[in-house]
Amino acid sequence: MLSDDFRKKDKNLIRNDRSAFKLNSLTFLFDCLLVIQDKSHVIKKSFFIISIALGILLVSGMDHAFAQTAAPTPTIDTGDTAWVLVASALVLLMTPGLAFFYGGLVRSRNVLNTMMMSLVMMGLVGVTWVLWGYTLAFAPTELNPGGDPAYTANPLIGSLRWMFLNGVSFAEPDPVGYAPTIPHQVFMVYQMMFAIITPALISGAIVERMTFKAYFWFVLLWSTFVYSPLAHWVWGKGWIGSLGALDFAGGTVVHISSGVSAVVAAWVLGSRLNYPNQPSPPHNIPYVLLGIGLLWFGWLGFNGGSALSAGGLAAVAVVATVVSSAAAGLTWLLLEWILRSKPTALGIATGFLAGLVGITPAAGFVTPIAAILIGSITSFCCFYAVSFRAKLQFDDSLDAFPVHGFGGTIGAILTGFFATKEVNSAGANGLFYGDASLLWKQIVGVIGTYIFAGVATFVILKILGAFMPLRTKSTIEEQGLDVHEHGEEAYGQDLI
């Protein structure tokens, strides 16, 4: 409103200046004619002066006419567009960050294979998202511009309207209203980054034993038949979003879906050779620390960019992300210090990650103090989930479910407690703000995601298993997958 007032004042000043200029020009012309009326020898000069004056008046009038017919201000906001583009780059950086995080946790003979399981997503899903993934996640069934409603959407899956990015403009916002101030293609590429990293998270449960060929086909099918429908359910006008459940940046779509799928995949493949009798300690903790640093940095775009604008909501999400992760890392460190006498670098890194996972569904709906509590509670729960998984001797190799699946579940449920319209009027009030219905909606969304992701993952793996072996031979597993799957070694024998 303040900027509009300034614009109105500027227009009035310009209009007054033009009027005064026209009056002065006419007065000047009249005086000139009086002076030269009896002086025939200066007629040529008079015509010259008249021509100049008429030219000035004509140009002034034309300028006013152009001002009256100027085109309306476009709806694209350059600031919002710039922020979402930067956020897209930040989220893309998370995939190499995840590669380092997971790569440092495995044995040295499997580090390249493990990192490739993340990096291949940048190529594979980067293409399939453009061809068919985006349309299955976000395309409405029908568009009715100017109508009420302006679109209709299937509750379970998107249409093929935007296949191959047909009708996805680089200059205009999407017609549904997902992000009304940025170009449609910017929204599309931002969502692509989520589609890239989500299947990569699954690899943490199945490292050091799944063939790369089977993994390639698995994530291709999973991203198409699991991720895209779930994204549609929550963000693409599907049934979970219509129910009123909140998921700001991917608690259900990203973390619960990948965590549940990870535990199902680990169960179908079975444990690594000699597990749990033979220990498999991380081979490079500095890689893990580098990975969590890149992940945390990228997560500012993951959550902050989900505001889809550069404003107060983005600030809310970024602040919540930072303080939640900080509280979670501190909580994990203190738990280790108190219960195990020594705080570890791996422990604080895992705590930071748990806090990032837990705040993801709530980032745009909660206060900073609530974000601290969500981070700390999620870290506490994930700490004991990791310990419980170890006691069960279940080979979820890098704790994909205890951190992502269980952490995402805790975050989604806590959103039902801490969400408030005081932070985001487009959200909802949780239980602590007088509305118990949101908690129920969050639980329904979580259960629906568990069932769909778990069943679909099991079916995909069983179908693939009928056409190709899912895991490597025992001799290859003993020698390491880097050489046999990729023909490379991460660390040469001779240092030059």
Side-chain angles (χ1 to χ4, degrees), residues 193-270:
M193 304 311 164
F194 288 71
I196 286 172
I197 195 171
T198 304
L201 295 173
I202 301 172
S203 67
I206 53 179
V207 293
E208 301 190 315
R209 59 193 183 277
M210 188 172 192
T211 67
F212 194 74
K213 178 182 178 181
Y215 176 77
F216 180 92
W217 287 106
F218 166 69
V219 292
L220 174 63
L221 295 173
W222 192 92
S223 64
T224 300
F225 296 108
V226 180
Y227 181 84
S228 287
L230 274 174
H232 182 77
W233 291 5
V234 178
W235 297 325
K237 311 302 181 182
W239 73 270
I240 292 180
S242 300
L243 179 68
L246 300 180
D247 187 355
F248 190 73
T252 52
V253 179
V254 176
H255 297 293
I256 294 178
S257 68
S258 61
V260 171
S261 297
V263 77
V264 171
W267 175 61
V268 171
L269 264 69

Side-chain angles (χ1 to χ4, degrees), residues 139-147 149-153 161-162 167 174-177 184:
T141 305
E142 297 291 341
L143 287 173
N144 183 26
Y151 64 89
T152 57
R161 174 180 297 273
W162 293 334
D174 70 89
V176 176
H184 194 176

Side-chain angles (χ1 to χ4, degrees), residues 325-415:
S325 186
L330 181 62
T331 299
W332 198 293
L333 180 144
L334 292 175
L335 286 170
E336 283 192 325
W337 214 338
I338 294 170
L339 300 176
R340 300 171 184 172
S341 302
K342 293 181 181 180
T344 66
L346 180 58
I348 195 171
T350 307
F352 287 149
L353 181 59
L356 293 168
V357 171
I359 197 59
T360 294
F365 304 115
V366 299
T367 65
I369 299 302
I372 290 175
L373 293 173
I374 289 173
S376 185
I377 294 169
T378 304
S379 181
F380 181 89
C381 294
C382 289
F383 179 88
Y384 282 100
V386 169
S387 299
F388 183 68
R389 194 275 310 162
K391 289 180 179 179
L392 291 177
Q393 297 185 346
F394 181 78
D395 195 12
D396 178 350
S397 309
L398 308 182
D399 292 311
F401 178 77
V403 176
H404 292 282
F406 192 59
T409 301
I410 298 299
I413 293 174
L414 289 178
T415 303

Side-chain angles (χ1 to χ4, degrees), residues 124-139 157-166 188 192 195 216-217 219-229:
L124 179 61
V125 180
V127 172
T128 60
W129 187 250
V130 168
L131 298 180
W132 63 75
Y134 177 68
T135 192
L136 292 176
F138 289 98
I157 191 68
S159 71
L160 299 180
R161 174 180 297 273
W162 293 334
M163 198 170 184
F164 306 145
L165 297 190
N166 178 47
M188 179 279 301
M192 176 196 291
F216 180 92
W217 287 106
V219 292
L220 174 63
L221 295 173
W222 192 92
S223 64
T224 300
F225 296 108
V226 180
Y227 181 84
S228 287

Side-chain angles (χ1 to χ4, degrees), residues 459-471:
V459 171
I460 291 171
L461 287 171
K462 285 300 182 181
I463 292 174
L464 283 176
F467 292 93
M468 65 188 72
L470 297 179
R471 61 179 297 162

